[in-house]
Amino acid sequence: ARATLQPAYPPGLPLLTLLAYAVSGGCGEWLTQLVVVSAASALCALICSRTESWEARLWVLAALLTPLSLRMASLYYAEPFVALLVLAGWMRIRGGRGVLSGWFLIGAAGLFKNEGIVLCLACWAALRLADGRRAAPLRGLPAALVLPCAWQVGCRLAGGTLYDFAAPWQPDFARLWTAAVFAFRAAFLRPWDCAFAWPLAALLLAFAPF
């Protein structure tokens, strides 16, 4: 009967919501909606603060003001927190100001979305290939994944399941194909919906050897 409450959902945003309710003294306070808006605003400010050209800042604003970005920020999705943590950790690692603390920030994205764990592994693999052990040491993975993985293990021990995910040993290839087609259409057939980010990334990769 309580399956719709998703008890195994990562605790980051629910805890912030609970904190907001504790501060306001009641449940359902509409100002709580600003929790995610503040994360999206901080994400925009962080990117623009590291961007010197006004053309790049305009592109950042175009990307963050797309309908999809605005929907995630205004309808209480956890994605702005995931993006903020991954970006902050990545900047810290690239700036050489603390590799382990940077990986801890990236791993903390897994406390807001299950996909944050996958993003953390992808970031570690990318930096390992690009910069070697200096940016992505082996000890960075435990620092990044200890908390989100502890949450996942604890949920399984308590009988919780990964909501809306197929078991790895029971993949749904039909849904995988549908998702791949949808992603391709959104990225390349309607590129204005994502501020042309995917076509630009493809061009950069194509011309990288030159």
Side-chain angles (χ1 to χ4, degrees):
R2 293 185 289 272
T4 55
L5 296 179
Q6 303 180 29
Y9 194 86
L13 188 55
L15 286 177
L16 289 178
T17 306
L18 183 63
L19 177 62
Y21 289 163
V23 172
S24 65
C27 177
E29 170 57 50
W30 63 272
L31 285 174
T32 306
Q33 295 286 337
L34 294 179
V35 170
V36 179
V37 176
S38 64
S41 303
L43 176 67
C44 180
L46 180 60
I47 300 175
C48 290
S49 68
R50 299 301 182 92
T51 306
E52 296 181 357
S53 66
W54 63 269
E55 296 93 340
R57 290 176 179 171
L58 286 178
W59 183 83
V60 169
L61 289 176
L64 295 179
L65 292 177
T66 58
L68 180 60
S69 297
L70 290 176
R71 193 180 310 127
M72 288 189 294
S74 60
L75 296 182
Y76 221 63
Y77 284 83
E79 276 81 356
F81 281 102
V82 173
L84 180 62
L85 288 168
V86 170
L87 182 64
W90 181 81
M91 286 182 170
R92 191 167 183 82
I93 294 169
R94 298 289 291 192
R97 291 172 299 188
V99 173
L100 290 183
S101 60
W103 283 114
F104 179 83
L105 286 174
I106 295 177
L111 294 174
F112 284 84
K113 291 284 291 186
N114 292 312
E115 294 86 344
I117 297 176
V118 179
L119 283 175
C120 178
L121 293 172
C123 287
W124 187 87
L127 285 176
R128 183 83 173 190
L129 290 172
D131 295 333
R133 291 179 295 178
R134 181 186 62 83
L138 287 176
R139 67 181 187 278
L141 279 180
L145 297 177
V146 58
L147 290 181
C149 287
W151 170 260
Q152 298 292 340
V153 172
C155 288
R156 300 307 167 272
L157 293 176
T161 59
L162 199 58
Y163 180 79
D164 205 27
F165 281 81
W169 54 88
Q170 292 178 328
D172 190 335
F173 292 105
R175 299 183 89 184
L176 178 64
W177 173 252
T178 301
V181 171
F182 179 85
F184 179 83
R185 287 177 177 172
F188 295 102
L189 300 184
R190 295 182 57 87
W192 50 87
D193 285 344
C194 57
F196 296 90
W198 291 104
L200 286 172
L203 286 175
L204 288 174
L205 289 174
F207 287 97
F210 307 102

